[in-house]
Amino acid sequence: MNYINLFKIALRALANNKMRCLLTMLGIIIGVASVIAMLAIGQGSKESIKAQISEMGSNLIMIHPGADMRGGVRQDASSMQTLKLDDYKSICEQTSLLKCVSPVVNGSGQLIYGSNNCSSTVYGVSPEYLEIRQNEIADGVCFDDSHVSSAAKVCVVGQTVVDNLFPDGDAVGKVIRFKSIPMTIIGVLKKKGYNSMGMDQDDLVLAPYTTIQKRVLAITYLQSIYASAIAEEQTTAAIEEISEILRQNHKIGRNDDDDFNIRSQEELSSMMTSTSDMMTVLLACIAGISLLVGGIGIMNIMYVSVTERTREIGLRMSIGAKGRDIMSQFLIESILISITGGVIGVLFGIFSSYMVKAVFAWPISIQAYTVILSFAVCTITGVFFGWYPAKKAASLDPIEALRYE
């Protein structure tokens, strides 16, 4: 018997039990839709994290003072004064793998303008800091090297500071006070919103680092140094280069520990991506259980179908049908159920993903491979779980099958 006839027989058999077929397909539909929706949410989350890290500078390198032992007591790294302006200048002059470098000092306190005030953090940086952190000026200008050399009392503010201090939105040219130091706003940063850690990236004030060092904090050391590698793939080599420069500047012996710490966004990106991948796999495994349940449902229904049609099988075999014809018929029925359920499940999964995005505003990303993988798995499920009932039908004895009541 050719496969066209077997296909027609299988379609007729399924059409005679529409409700049973629909209920059987339901497990496959839910399984496929769940896999697609869960993977779309997981992939969307991963891409969102990467995008947010990229906004902070994917090739960002952060240099901080390291903790130290004094009198048997480990000191807090924030109290260390191991980073100096000479370190910043040496890094600028001697590195070949860095695009921008900026010293960083900061202090927190009240910002005051007229009767309005708010708490914020003022960062003392160089003009290159904006490029390192991928900030842009929305209104006004940024301070330049002449402001740095003269320790000018000027600043650039984030949008949150503008909203808190200037309800009318006009901030450029206004003078605010920070710890009794008047500072003229010469620019407003473009809004960036919250990052993946829930921090408001617009709640900040940027000023020349010399201004904050001399006029606000009265210190000569640096609290940190920020830099950006010329390319993301050069980050590791740049870190090694910076480490060698600082070890020479600080006269650290070959076997001695560093008195500084160097971190990169690559580490944060890797950690958060691995966490997101693990959650995606976990969600996919949970959704995959639905496919397993759907496959068991197909096997159960095929067993019932074989039992109900035992006399039909005996009759067909007695007039010349071979075992492989009987097996092919039931396999085709099983595959038709799983493929039809898979197609509906794919459509429902894509629809569900966009519904999640619309209702909960979660980021989603439907990848072609997830659709193909889900569809392939449901097809394999139909073959796997339909094979044993089909084999049982093909191995029936024609005489015993005809006698079956």
Side-chain angles (χ1 to χ4, degrees), residues 75-367:
Q75 304 295 312
D76 184 12
S78 62
S79 65
M80 295 294 99
Q81 303 179 15
T82 53
L83 292 180
K84 304 292 185 178
L85 277 173
D86 287 341
D87 295 325
Y88 161 64
K89 293 176 181 177
S90 296
I91 291 173
C92 291
E93 294 168 358
Q94 300 176 31
T95 55
S96 60
L97 298 175
L98 296 180
K99 182 168 57 175
C100 300
V101 185
S102 171
V104 179
V105 290
N106 66 82
S108 299
Q110 289 291 117
L111 297 173
I112 301 172
Y113 176 75
S115 60
N116 298 324
N117 67 87
C118 66
S119 296
S120 188
T121 302
V122 177
Y123 293 89
V125 297
S126 69
E128 288 80 8
Y129 183 84
L130 272 73
E131 184 175 349
I132 294 172
R133 296 307 300 267
Q134 296 190 0
N135 284 314
E136 297 179 19
I137 298 293
D139 188 19
V141 296
C142 181
F143 51 85
D144 54 28
D145 291 335
S146 64
H147 293 116
V148 173
S149 59
S150 63
K153 293 182 282 188
V154 296
C155 66
V156 175
V157 298
Q159 189 60 48
T160 299
V161 175
V162 175
D163 294 340
N164 290 332
L165 297 183
F166 308 98
D168 59 358
D170 185 15
V172 176
K174 304 293 177 61
V175 178
I176 59 175
R177 282 184 293 126
F178 177 71
K179 295 186 177 181
S180 301
I181 305 297
M183 304 179 75
T184 303
I185 298 174
I186 61 172
V188 177
L189 295 171
K190 184 179 290 186
K191 188 172 183 178
K192 294 184 72 173
Y194 288 84
N195 63 18
S196 56
M197 276 80 75
M199 295 175 60
D200 187 355
Q201 300 179 92
D202 302 312
D203 187 11
L204 80 168
V205 176
L206 303 181
Y209 68 90
T210 50
T211 305
I212 304 303
Q213 272 189 315
K214 298 175 182 178
R215 302 181 186 278
V216 178
L217 301 177
I219 59 175
T220 57
Y221 60 91
L222 302 177
Q223 293 172 331
S224 57
I225 300 173
Y226 278 33
S228 61
I230 55 177
E232 189 172 349
E233 57 270 15
Q234 296 286 349
T235 301
T236 301
I239 289 174
E240 293 175 358
E241 194 175 51
I242 294 169
S243 179
E244 185 62 30
I245 292 170
L246 292 179
R247 287 182 67 87
Q248 289 179 0
N249 276 15
H250 297 179
K251 298 180 172 56
I252 298 174
R254 183 179 298 274
N255 298 321
D256 295 334
D257 293 334
D258 295 338
D259 60 356
F260 55 87
N261 291 315
I262 305 177
R263 295 288 183 266
S264 69
Q265 289 291 74
E266 187 178 357
E267 297 175 5
L268 176 62
S269 177
S270 177
M271 179 187 69
M272 298 192 73
T273 299
S274 64
T275 302
S276 178
D277 285 341
M278 184 172 63
M279 290 301 297
T280 301
V281 171
L282 179 61
L283 291 172
C285 289
I286 294 172
I289 294 173
S290 298
L291 275 177
L292 177 63
V293 173
I296 294 171
I298 289 176
M299 179 180 278
N300 184 39
I301 291 302
M302 296 311 295
Y303 263 122
V304 172
S305 183
V306 169
T307 304
E308 287 180 345
R309 295 156 64 187
T310 300
R311 287 178 60 82
E312 175 195 331
I313 294 168
L315 181 61
R316 290 186 59 205
M317 295 182 74
S318 66
I319 61 175
K322 297 179 181 179
R324 66 172 179 269
D325 296 324
I326 303 300
M327 186 171 183
S328 296
Q329 177 189 339
F330 282 93
L331 264 179
I332 289 172
E333 289 183 23
S334 172
I335 293 171
L336 279 174
I337 291 173
S338 62
I339 288 179
T340 306
V343 171
I344 298 173
V346 167
L347 297 175
F348 187 64
I350 294 173
F351 173 76
S352 300
S353 299
Y354 282 104
M355 282 297 294
V356 167
K357 181 179 180 180
V359 175
F360 299 103
W362 291 353
I364 65 163
S365 178
I366 300 174
Q367 303 291 314

Side-chain angles (χ1 to χ4, degrees), residues 1-53:
M1 184 176 287
N2 61 47
Y3 283 100
I4 295 176
N5 288 333
L6 287 173
F7 186 76
K8 290 178 180 178
I9 293 170
L11 281 178
R12 192 178 302 116
L14 295 177
N16 290 333
N17 297 281
K18 296 183 181 66
M19 184 55 69
R20 179 195 293 177
C21 290
L22 179 61
L23 293 175
T24 305
M25 282 189 281
L26 197 58
I28 295 293
I29 293 170
I30 294 173
V32 171
S34 299
V35 169
I36 291 175
M38 293 299 101
L39 288 176
I41 293 171
Q43 186 66 25
S45 173
K46 184 163 68 174
E47 291 183 3
S48 176
I49 289 170
K50 285 185 176 180
Q52 291 180 12
I53 289 176

